[in-house]
Amino acid sequence: MEMKLLRRNEVLDRCAISSTTLHRLIEAGQFPPAVTITSRRVAWVEHEVENWIACRINQARRE
């Protein structure tokens, strides 16, 4: 399985959320944690973000 990291802007685009919403979700423990790349750069594991999106879609379909 190839692992890919996503930058913040890619995460925001894929999830269709704002930076503020991303921050709130992270603080609440409701979003996959970022991986620290350097002291000034973080990224997210693509499949973890995709799983989060799929869960949100499934949840919305059940409501």
Side-chain angles (χ1 to χ4, degrees):
M1 175 182 183
E2 181 181 334
M3 293 181 74
K4 180 179 178 187
L5 295 174
L6 302 174
R7 295 180 189 177
R8 182 180 204 79
N9 286 340
E10 292 174 296
V11 170
L12 297 176
D13 286 343
R14 287 190 188 204
C15 296
I17 58 176
S18 69
S19 183
T20 301
T21 298
L22 177 61
H23 179 71
R24 287 180 186 153
L25 289 168
I26 291 168
E27 289 294 313
Q30 298 175 349
F31 198 82
V35 176
T36 302
I37 306 301
T38 69
S39 62
R40 298 184 63 191
R41 174 75 66 181
V42 298
W44 286 262
V45 179
E46 181 180 44
H47 76 267
E48 292 178 358
V49 173
E50 289 175 351
N51 288 342
W52 182 87
I53 293 168
C55 287
R56 297 298 283 221
I57 291 169
N58 289 336
Q59 182 181 32
R61 298 287 189 248
R62 285 190 301 241
E63 294 176 352

